[in-house]
Amino acid sequence: MTIKTGDTLPNATLLVMGDDGPKKVLLSDKLEDRKVVIFGLPGAYTGTCSTAHVPSFMVTYNDFKEKGVDEIICIAVNDPFVMQAWGESTSATDAGITMLADAESEFTTKIGMNFSASAVGFVERSKRYSMLVDNGEVKILNEELSPGECEISAGETLLAAMD
């Protein structure tokens, strides 16, 4: 079942790079009593993800903060080493975006946003989406129709939907 507006996000264990290596992050800890933007994408270092999706949240970061968003989180089905390196290479981390790894596709699968395209090596990857979550409840959900597009799920589109 695919997550929809009004649903409560399921808890999941994600990974982030800490000073001593990979560190577990409970999604519920990120959501409780907080307004959070989450965007998911097919993979680190992929074309549209690197040239459009991540940058769209970098340029809108301050605007989201002005609207009361506590954190912007990027989730991809990659390992935490890759997510850290990608966050650094795109400057997303410097911009304030939290890069979380859904290494086993736990969260992505739970919310029904998983897909596979084995011809290009994508197995249980994330569809492209963005959402506004308030205290764990999905308030706005924007899912792309194609993983190669980034319009519906772009930062600018989500920001405009908050007005």
Side-chain angles (χ1 to χ4, degrees):
M1 178 179 87
T2 302
I3 197 88
K4 61 186 181 313
T5 302
D7 287 350
T8 299
L9 286 181
N11 196 19
T13 302
L14 302 167
L15 297 167
V16 67
M17 284 303 291
D19 293 337
D20 299 322
K23 182 176 117 182
K24 291 181 179 181
V25 175
L26 291 178
L27 186 60
S28 59
D29 291 343
K30 293 277 189 188
L31 303 178
E32 187 175 352
D33 298 323
R34 298 178 83 219
K35 188 183 288 188
V36 177
V37 165
I38 297 174
F39 66 103
L41 37 78
Y45 294 103
T46 58
T48 304
C49 301
S50 294
T51 62
H53 209 181
V54 168
S56 78
F57 284 93
M58 291 169 64
V59 299
T60 56
Y61 182 87
N62 290 331
D63 297 320
F64 278 111
K65 288 295 194 173
E66 288 175 13
K67 289 187 178 276
V69 170
D70 296 298
E71 188 172 14
I72 298 175
I73 300 170
C74 174
I75 298 177
V77 180
N78 286 110
D79 66 67
F81 298 91
V82 167
M83 291 300 286
Q84 178 187 32
W86 189 45
E88 291 170 358
S89 72
T90 59
S91 297
T93 304
D94 290 339
I97 296 172
T98 302
M99 307 298 277
L100 295 180
D102 187 13
E104 296 181 21
S105 193
E106 175 191 355
F107 174 69
T108 301
T109 300
K110 281 182 178 179
I111 65 169
M113 287 292 184
N114 56 313
F115 81 101
S116 291
S118 56
V120 293
F122 284 1
V123 178
E124 294 303 310
R125 292 295 183 106
S126 177
K127 294 178 183 177
R128 189 178 309 283
Y129 67 87
S130 63
M131 63 174 80
L132 176 66
V133 181
D134 194 348
N135 195 28
E137 181 184 336
V138 179
K139 296 295 187 180
I140 302 170
L141 175 63
N142 295 331
E143 180 184 352
E144 272 322 318
L145 303 176
S146 166
E149 296 175 2
C150 182
E151 292 180 24
I152 296 168
S153 64
E156 296 87 351
T157 305
L158 183 62
L159 188 65
M162 291 175 67
D163 288 332

